[in-house]
Amino acid sequence: MTDVTLLFATLGHTLVSDIQVPGYIDRDGPIPQFVPLPRTFYLVRDKDCVQFDVPLSQDFLTFRVAERPTPPENLDEDEEFATSSYGRLFLSEDLSSFAVTRIRCLVSDGPSPGEVLVKCAEFQFEDSSYLFADPRNLFGIRLAGHGAYDRWKAWAQSLEAPGGTLREVVWTPGG
């Protein structure tokens, strides 16, 4: 469960320098390979990061502020923790950090009164770059770019979407 107002306050007035996905280095083959663990991603800021997770067997995002990316508890002893930068996939190379200029979330009511579940989120950055996070992916959080939020929203409002009423919540600076 997430307090959407806290999410907006946490990201609304800071700069993001990178998007990172945790994983491990698989050295079993002839060439070491980075294996992502897509149940988590980080929006890296100057002195900390905002960690987004999808709880096991769930379909919503949670978040918390973390000092730095950390290895998941289920990482095997022989697996070397690493992160991969996805910033170049979703952020322009022209700047070293990016202000969040809009956050859109589709939310539903949680199991307890007043609780909200974030079913997906889109972050727009000052250079018109977009990051969409979809926790309904079988393997974890699917990250996508511009247009993915609108396609997901159209699907969710169609007859084929699984139950639950969704509401859109939007944050913009000064909004």
Side-chain angles (χ1 to χ4, degrees):
M1 282 55 73
T2 295
D3 179 347
V4 177
T5 305
L6 182 58
L7 172 64
F8 297 160
T10 300
L11 282 172
H13 300 287
T14 60
L15 298 175
V16 172
S17 60
D18 198 6
I19 301 162
Q20 292 186 359
V21 173
Y24 64 92
I25 305 298
D26 181 356
R27 298 187 185 280
D28 291 340
I31 299 173
Q33 179 180 10
F34 175 78
V35 179
L37 299 170
R39 296 177 38 77
T40 300
F41 76 93
Y42 298 91
L43 294 181
V44 179
R45 304 186 301 180
D46 184 36
K47 296 182 182 185
D48 61 12
C49 57
V50 181
Q51 176 179 332
F52 291 86
D53 296 290
V54 58
L56 190 60
S57 301
Q58 298 296 325
D59 65 351
F60 57 88
L61 289 170
T62 63
F63 83 97
R64 68 182 186 88
V65 175
E67 188 176 320
R68 64 183 171 279
T70 55
E73 293 177 10
N74 62 348
L75 195 66
D76 289 342
E77 202 172 284
D78 64 336
E79 295 173 332
E80 179 184 350
F81 178 70
T83 61
S84 179
S85 172
Y86 280 35
R88 290 195 177 190
L89 296 174
F90 298 105
L91 301 172
S92 167
E93 295 180 36
D94 297 341
L95 303 171
S96 61
S97 58
F98 305 84
V100 177
T101 56
R102 182 174 69 176
I103 303 171
R104 295 194 294 175
C105 300
L106 287 174
V107 301
S108 67
D109 292 331
S112 301
E115 288 183 323
V116 173
L117 303 177
V118 176
K119 297 297 192 165
C120 69
E122 177 192 66
F123 306 93
Q124 181 178 350
F125 300 94
E126 66 186 286
D127 66 342
S128 295
S129 295
Y130 295 83
L131 174 66
F132 171 71
D134 174 9
R136 289 184 178 225
N137 188 345
L138 178 61
F139 301 107
I141 303 168
R142 177 178 68 94
L143 300 178
H146 188 271
Y149 178 89
D150 292 320
R151 288 188 299 275
W152 198 98
K153 181 180 173 183
W155 168 81
Q157 293 172 337
S158 73
L159 297 176
E160 64 188 74
T165 302
L166 296 177
R167 299 181 311 281
E168 183 174 49
V169 182
V170 178
W171 173 89
T172 56

